[in-house]
Amino acid sequence: MSEQVSRVVVRFAGDSGDGMQLTGGRFGADAARQGNDIVTLPDYPAEIRAPQGSLNGVSSFQVHFADVDIVTPGDDLDVLVAMNPAALKVHLPSLRRGGVLITDTAEYTRRNLSHAGYSSNPLTDGSLDQWQLVDLDLTSITSDAVQEFGLGRKTVSRSRNMLALGLVSWLYSRDLTPTRQWIRQRFSDNPRVRDANLAALQGGWNYGENTETFVVRYEVAPAGQSPGRYRQISGSQALALGLIAASHLSGLPLFLGAYPITPASDLLHELAKRKSFGVHTFQAEDEIAAVGAALGASFGGSLGVCTTSGPGFALKQEMINLAVMTELPLVVIDVQRAGPSTGMPTKTEQGDLLQALWGRNGESPVPVIAPQSPADCFDAAIEASRIALTSRTPVVLLADAYLANGSEPWLIPQIAELRPIDPNFARPPAEGGVFEPYRRDPATLDRPWAIPGTPGLEHRLGGLEKQDGLGNISYDPENHDKMVRLRAEHIARIPVPDAIWDDPSDAARVVVVGWGSSWGAITAAVRRVRQMGLPIAQVQVRHLNPLPANLGVLLRRGHRVIVPEVNLGQLSTVLRAKYLVDAQPWSRVRGRPLSVTELTEHLLQQVEEAQSDQ
Amino acid sequence: MTSEQTRDPGDGLSGVPLAVTPLNRKDFTSDQEVRWCPGCGDYAILSAVQSLLPGLGILRENTVVISGIGCASRFPYYVNSYGMHSIHGRALTIATGLAITRPDLAIMIATGDGDALSIGANHLIHTLRRNVNLTVLLFNNRIYGLTKGQYSPTSELGKVTRSSPLGSVDTPVNAVSLALGAEATFVARSIDSDRSHLTGVLRAAFEHRGTSLVEIYQNCPIFNDGAWDDLTSPDSDGVIELRQGAPITTPSGRLGVISGDDGSLQLAPINEVGLDRVLVHDAHREDPTQAFALSRLTDSGRVKRSPIGIFRQVSRPTFDDLGRQQLAVAAGDAARPTDQSVQALLAGESTWVLA
């Protein structure tokens, strides 16, 4: 018996060594390939090798797949695969009542139970009665499935994840062919492990098929996505590809200065592989050297980029300010993580907005842009590079751990259709002409970018205040006042698209304003409110500086303004200061994306209150 | 105008275009008024550099001076080429990014004892070990001048300054010893007041491929006047000049450097030990042990004795050359990425088509 469902959330959870990231990633990739829309959320411990079976060592990978367009990894799980008691303990609260719980009974030893903090065995004490418990001895089923390959116990145990994958694949009527191909490729140099994994995968499938463990099977039909060629892409990959695309579009070599930091290191890894595209990656001795080298490369006419996360971003601020003063291009990507200080390095947060806007000494305006989904990181990276190169300014791109690690299907763009970027280097002056490095374009206020090696444009830049036009050192009070204003006006004039007011009902009395990755949770919550027949408007602020020119008008139309953020109200502070509107923050700072369920409840309440105010 | 003439690939300036029309000192002098204090040793260093640069034969527009913060760091403003007066301690980081991406530039860093050995010491160590093709001029006046006279990381123990009224309790660092410990391939020392020695050392530094560190003893007449007088006064016999292939002796020829019984280097009267026992200087030794031992002959308190010259000059592939080679090998015949190659990269290894 097979039943159609619209969307499903599955989470694979187990010990760090159980291969959960691999299993979840594989399941998501297959769903995307079969035409579902998907959003994934990996969650892993900061400890590389936490004690086996401990709560700290639990690693998980969540896949949300659907026959419709979806925007979040999902809140409540339909299926939880918990490979051991610790995984059960950590993740059971996310499983919806009546959801499927698949777990390996062999792992419920007295030792593991006590590691996970269970005083009695949950499999037998009745505490799991409200869920569909599928308790299997995965270990011995796997062992039976792979016995002909004569592998050791440890290797057999490592194949348990493939057995679980086979079983969940059967449950959702997934085609195993692509996963089989993937296993063959991945383990091509180790035929025994390859065959064991193939057998385990098939074993899981067969178990679903032959036993009556599950009363029904489910099917999730393909989503009606735009036709075209797709790939699966994570935010880190999309940022890396966006930077390479920007390098290609501008004809400038890409230089990345970086220091390893979670969760931004994947960007360094992605770009370090791309030397054949002229990408120079420099692993610096510290965060400051990384941004310094990027600025040096920019000075020389490259696309200088540095990637980091919150603590590293803090260290870079003085160098970013030098880029503000010298008005040189620089792209700074901050993959935000939970702070302050070291905080929770692998967990997501939107805590660095005010640092990006105001975290430097003096009046230091910097364009800030925030992508809203993993695939959107591609466009945001090109946009940040375009602004940096054409307006000669450092630009901050605020991604976060969720965006960087999360992934979704991506309709691959045509590079030939993307708009080129013109760096418009200054050319040698006519004979006898004097070069003025701070002579600005009257419309944009951009200054010329003259790179070393160009005869006749020799000049000196630096962090000291510049004389307007000539660019010599100046302590003149009126000149400083003028330059402070010019720098502010220069950034304020950077063209950014108007904000879009999304209210199909045209009757909303509440508007939800978001930025960055909380777009997903906000969009999902807004959809739920609308599905209940209630009107609500949504605005996504992609450009945090300069803000869209129409934003003030939109927010002053008398609506109740709600600003959900994974911080204590940073965008709402900006909106209140800038527009004198009563923007109300809604904050959850748990190191995870906002909960759609909770946000929906809050929005429903707001909509009801706003209507009764009428 | 560039010339077709090329330099030896192992030369620090190879890759930098040569000037066809000879340049002169004036070409490298900017229109900015020099604003160091009267009598500052920096004037002599600037003058030596401005005189030397035309002689290197390279194009002015391919010469870049980068500095950090401090009195020495005003240097770029006075050299009429490209330059950046950056932030405290970080000149080397900026220079590294520039050197990697622009092998056609001759890049010089002007820094001081505070800038390079305190706030920027980390970058100095890592730049030296990487051997980025840069020339570093470290002006050592043993004091913080720009901030008006606090003790610096090279100030002698017990130094009384405004921030150490009872005497500094900081043990000073020896720039040459530090550089040698950081795997530097070119380490030298000179003195602001000895123009011809300084020019010779600087020329060798520019021509060395890799990071060249030149420590320059420089006098601050305002906050640490006479810091080097005990060394440079006419009656001193403390300037031990290191000359390639020559016995290492004091100016009078009375004392020579010998290897002591405990393995350390010592000064001994030549008429007692004999000239045969005096070490002959060889900066090209791969093993830095002897160069390090020579660096330890410098006094750490008031300096009455110190070797000057090139301590170490060895050849090692540079960081930027190696990095560029990796890119060239990876790119193969493809000079530049094309729309097709970028499009293939965007698609990656696994795609699917939805109708």
Side-chain angles (χ1 to χ4, degrees):
Chain A
M1 196 169 85
S2 167
E3 191 180 303
Q4 287 285 334
V5 288
S6 174
R7 47 186 212 89
V8 176
V9 183
V10 179
R11 188 183 292 168
F12 297 89
D15 211 52
S16 288
D18 284 342
M20 293 296 97
Q21 302 299 321
L22 208 70
T23 313
R26 206 44 243 158
F27 188 70
D30 275 358
R33 190 172 278 276
Q34 289 168 45
N36 297 130
D37 194 13
I38 74 153
V39 179
T40 65
L41 175 68
D43 188 31
Y44 49 90
E47 295 81 3
I48 305 300
R49 295 279 180 270
Q52 210 179 357
S54 70
L55 295 171
N56 287 337
V58 175
S59 164
S60 74
F61 195 100
Q62 182 168 325
V63 181
H64 184 186
F65 61 108
D67 64 0
V68 291
D69 162 43
I70 51 171
V71 288
T72 75
D75 282 358
D76 300 331
L77 306 178
D78 298 297
V79 179
L80 171 63
V81 177
M83 302 298 280
N84 65 10
L88 179 72
K89 182 87 171 190
V90 172
H91 293 291
L92 189 63
S94 308
L95 185 61
R96 70 169 166 80
R97 194 166 296 183
V100 174
L101 168 63
I102 300 171
T103 195
D104 183 1
T105 56
E107 288 286 314
Y108 287 71
T109 60
R110 184 183 302 226
R111 187 163 169 275
N112 281 353
L113 284 166
S114 107
H115 267 260
Y118 282 114
S119 51
S120 68
N121 188 341
L123 300 181
T124 53
D125 67 7
S127 61
L128 301 176
D129 285 353
Q130 47 180 323
W131 294 281
Q132 276 187 69
L133 176 63
V134 181
D135 51 342
L136 308 171
D137 188 340
L138 281 179
T139 304
S140 76
I141 300 170
T142 308
S143 172
D144 290 348
V146 306
Q147 63 176 357
E148 58 181 292
F149 305 105
L151 297 164
R153 247 188 59 207
K154 212 165 175 181
T155 317
V156 169
S157 168
R158 287 223 182 101
S159 300
R160 290 188 309 144
N161 60 338
M162 285 300 130
L163 195 107
L165 180 60
L167 182 58
V168 178
S169 297
W170 177 85
L171 183 59
Y172 289 100
S173 319
R174 307 272 104 178
D175 178 9
L176 288 184
T177 316
T179 299
R180 285 201 197 99
Q181 269 169 6
W182 174 82
I183 292 174
R184 283 193 197 102
Q185 226 167 40
R186 184 173 171 101
F187 301 105
S188 57
D189 56 349
N190 195 339
R192 281 207 307 170
V193 171
R194 176 196 64 199
D195 293 345
N197 276 310
L198 285 170
L201 182 73
Q202 192 61 47
W205 177 278
N206 294 349
Y207 193 88
E209 185 80 10
N210 298 332
T211 64
E212 298 197 344
T213 309
F214 297 100
V215 187
V216 287
R217 265 179 105 176
Y218 302 95
E219 279 179 24
V220 179
Q225 298 178 82
S226 307
R229 184 169 289 278
Y230 284 79
R231 65 167 284 182
Q232 185 69 10
I233 197 160
S234 71
S236 290
Q237 291 168 329
L239 285 168
L241 293 180
L243 293 171
I244 292 171
S247 160
H248 182 64
L249 293 170
S250 62
L252 303 186
L254 175 59
F255 178 93
L256 173 77
Y259 184 76
I261 184 169
T262 303
S265 301
D266 275 345
L267 257 165
L268 168 61
H269 306 157
E270 284 294 327
L271 287 168
K273 291 189 287 199
R274 304 302 173 204
K275 296 194 192 306
S276 64
F277 288 84
V279 180
H280 213 125
T281 53
F282 170 53
Q283 183 178 314
E285 61 269 27
D286 62 26
E287 294 280 356
I288 299 171
V291 64
L295 185 62
S298 284
F299 179 52
S302 290
L303 170 55
V305 178
C306 61
T307 53
T308 187
S309 185
F313 188 44
L315 285 165
K316 293 184 195 299
Q317 298 293 355
E318 190 193 6
M319 192 67 77
I320 296 173
N321 239 352
L322 179 63
V324 167
M325 202 64 157
T326 53
E327 299 186 39
L328 283 171
L330 178 68
V331 175
V332 182
I333 297 180
D334 174 15
V335 184
Q336 299 166 95
R337 69 189 216 191
S341 189
T342 311
M344 302 194 288
T346 57
K347 311 299 177 191
T348 199
E349 200 158 289
Q350 296 182 293
D352 296 348
L353 174 59
L354 295 186
Q355 186 184 188
L357 291 173
W358 299 328
R360 294 168 296 282
N361 64 303
E363 293 292 340
S364 170
V366 162
V368 179
I369 179 170
Q372 63 188 35
S373 75
D376 184 40
C377 288
F378 177 80
D379 296 327
I382 295 178
E383 219 172 327
S385 305
R386 185 186 302 281
I387 294 173
L389 293 173
T390 57
S391 300
R392 291 81 158 96
T393 175
V395 176
V396 175
L397 187 156
L398 289 177
D400 60 36
Y402 163 63
L403 286 179
N405 294 328
S407 66
E408 61 181 346
W410 181 45
L411 181 61
I412 302 161
Q414 292 302 308
I415 189 79
E417 289 168 14
L418 299 176
R419 195 155 50 95
I421 301 172
D422 181 9
N424 191 22
F425 290 135
R427 287 170 193 82
E431 196 67 38
V434 177
F435 175 60
E436 298 189 24
Y438 281 76
R439 172 73 64 200
R440 295 166 190 279
D441 177 293
T444 61
L445 300 182
D446 299 335
R447 76 169 193 90
W449 181 12
I451 62 169
T454 320
L457 302 186
E458 291 87 350
H459 66 287
R460 274 65 58 194
L461 295 173
L464 286 171
E465 182 60 287
K466 299 284 168 286
Q467 180 188 358
D468 184 27
L470 284 171
N472 293 326
I473 302 170
S474 170
Y475 285 89
D476 175 44
E478 292 309 318
N479 177 75
H480 178 55
D481 186 82
K482 183 178 185 187
M483 292 301 278
V484 165
R485 289 171 201 277
L486 272 173
R487 281 188 289 266
E489 180 62 20
H490 171 224
I491 301 306
R493 283 195 196 178
I494 290 170
V496 305
D498 270 348
I500 294 168
W501 180 271
D502 172 43
D503 175 21
S505 70
D506 207 21
R509 302 203 38 84
V510 172
V511 58
V512 197
V513 184
W515 69 280
S517 73
S518 51
W519 172 81
I522 293 172
T523 304
V526 162
R527 282 179 188 173
R528 286 193 197 174
V529 172
R530 289 176 185 162
Q531 274 162 11
M532 294 177 198
L534 296 169
I536 190 163
Q538 183 184 355
V539 171
Q540 174 74 9
V541 185
R542 181 183 182 77
H543 289 267
L544 284 314
N545 194 40
L547 288 161
N550 67 337
L551 189 60
V553 175
L554 294 181
L555 299 186
R556 287 198 198 104
R557 289 154 97 187
H559 295 74
R560 199 176 268 230
V561 180
I562 310 298
V563 189
E565 296 178 79
V566 190
N567 61 46
L568 291 184
Q570 300 199 5
L571 178 61
S572 63
T573 298
V574 173
L575 298 178
R576 293 170 79 95
K578 176 115 181 155
Y579 303 118
L580 278 175
V581 292
D582 184 18
Q584 288 294 327
W586 187 79
S587 303
R588 294 293 183 275
V589 200
R590 295 169 175 145
R592 294 182 61 86
L594 298 173
S595 151
V596 179
T597 310
E598 274 183 281
L599 179 57
T600 307
E601 277 170 32
H602 180 71
L603 295 182
L604 283 172
Q605 192 192 337
Q606 293 296 316
V607 170
E608 278 160 21
E609 281 178 23
Q611 279 176 336
S612 61
D613 287 348
Q614 229 171 350
Chain B
M1 291 274 284
T2 64
S3 134
E4 295 303 309
Q5 211 183 327
T6 50
R7 286 170 175 266
D8 178 83
D11 188 299
L13 298 170
S14 115
V16 183
L18 301 177
V20 166
T21 332
L23 300 168
N24 58 41
R25 183 196 160 115
K26 259 180 100 176
D27 292 314
F28 285 93
T29 307
S30 81
D31 61 355
Q32 297 296 295
E33 186 192 345
V34 184
R35 293 200 188 167
W36 286 310
C37 307
C40 177
D42 291 0
Y43 282 95
I45 303 171
L46 175 65
S47 174
V49 169
Q50 284 170 335
S51 303
L52 170 68
L53 287 175
L56 297 176
I58 53 173
L59 278 177
R60 179 177 71 176
E61 61 266 28
N62 288 63
T63 310
V64 180
V65 187
I66 298 182
S67 65
I69 292 291
C71 293
S73 290
R74 289 260 171 158
F75 207 87
Y77 292 114
Y78 309 134
V79 180
N80 189 18
S81 65
Y82 284 87
M84 194 193 289
H85 176 207
S86 76
I87 51 177
H88 206 11
R90 318 300 173 196
L92 287 168
T93 70
I94 292 165
T96 295
L98 188 62
I100 290 169
T101 50
R102 293 292 303 270
D104 60 327
L105 303 178
I107 305 171
M108 176 178 112
I109 287 89
T111 183
D113 41 316
D115 197 53
L117 297 172
S118 192
I119 191 166
N122 189 30
H123 308 307
L124 180 66
I125 291 167
H126 294 283
T127 306
L128 290 169
R129 77 171 166 85
R130 288 190 188 110
N131 202 30
V132 185
N133 191 27
L134 302 169
T135 303
V136 184
L137 278 58
L138 196 168
F139 301 22
N140 182 6
N141 57 16
R142 310 191 84 184
I143 200 80
Y144 282 104
L146 195 68
T147 50
K148 300 190 176 147
Q150 299 82 12
Y151 62 94
S152 91
T154 56
S155 297
E156 60 274 25
L157 196 64
K159 178 94 178 163
V160 174
T161 70
R162 301 212 302 182
S163 59
S164 55
L166 299 180
S168 153
V169 291
D170 264 46
T171 297
V173 65
N174 176 324
V176 170
S177 300
L178 178 83
L180 290 166
E183 312 289 348
T185 55
F186 184 106
V187 186
R189 177 184 290 141
S190 191
I191 307 178
D192 59 359
S193 52
D194 188 345
R195 172 73 171 259
S196 75
H197 186 265
L198 177 60
T199 306
V201 165
L202 288 179
R203 174 180 284 279
F206 273 104
E207 288 173 350
H208 174 74
R209 194 157 191 84
T211 310
S212 320
L213 178 84
V214 183
E215 181 191 22
I216 305 167
Y217 286 168
Q218 172 247 329
N219 190 44
C220 171
I222 308 297
F223 295 106
N224 201 16
D225 195 21
W228 310 109
D229 281 3
D230 292 354
L231 179 71
T232 57
S233 68
D235 56 344
S236 150
D237 193 28
V239 180
I240 306 166
E241 194 172 336
L242 306 173
R243 293 191 199 87
Q244 182 64 21
I248 307 170
T249 69
T250 57
S252 65
R254 203 172 53 79
L255 300 174
V257 175
I258 62 159
S259 206
D261 295 337
D262 62 354
S264 69
L265 297 187
Q266 301 164 0
L267 278 170
I270 293 173
N271 62 6
E272 287 175 23
V273 296
L275 193 60
D276 288 352
R277 269 200 72 188
V278 175
L279 286 184
V280 171
H281 185 54
D282 181 9
H284 304 319
R285 293 167 73 115
E286 280 298 325
D287 179 21
T289 310
Q290 193 172 86
F292 186 82
L294 284 168
S295 79
R296 304 315 292 169
L297 294 175
T298 303
D299 296 320
S300 67
R302 280 289 296 178
V303 176
K304 295 177 182 147
R305 188 181 77 189
S306 183
I308 67 165
I310 300 169
F311 288 74
R312 182 165 206 241
Q313 183 176 14
V314 297
S315 174
R316 194 172 81 220
T318 72
F319 178 78
D320 42 317
D321 282 336
L322 290 173
R324 285 188 294 264
Q325 272 166 30
Q326 285 192 345
L327 258 63
V329 169
D333 296 334
R336 290 183 78 102
T338 60
D339 276 2
Q340 289 71 27
S341 66
V342 175
Q343 191 65 48
L345 177 70
L346 298 190
E349 283 160 16
S350 175
T351 65
W352 67 92
V353 174
L354 294 182

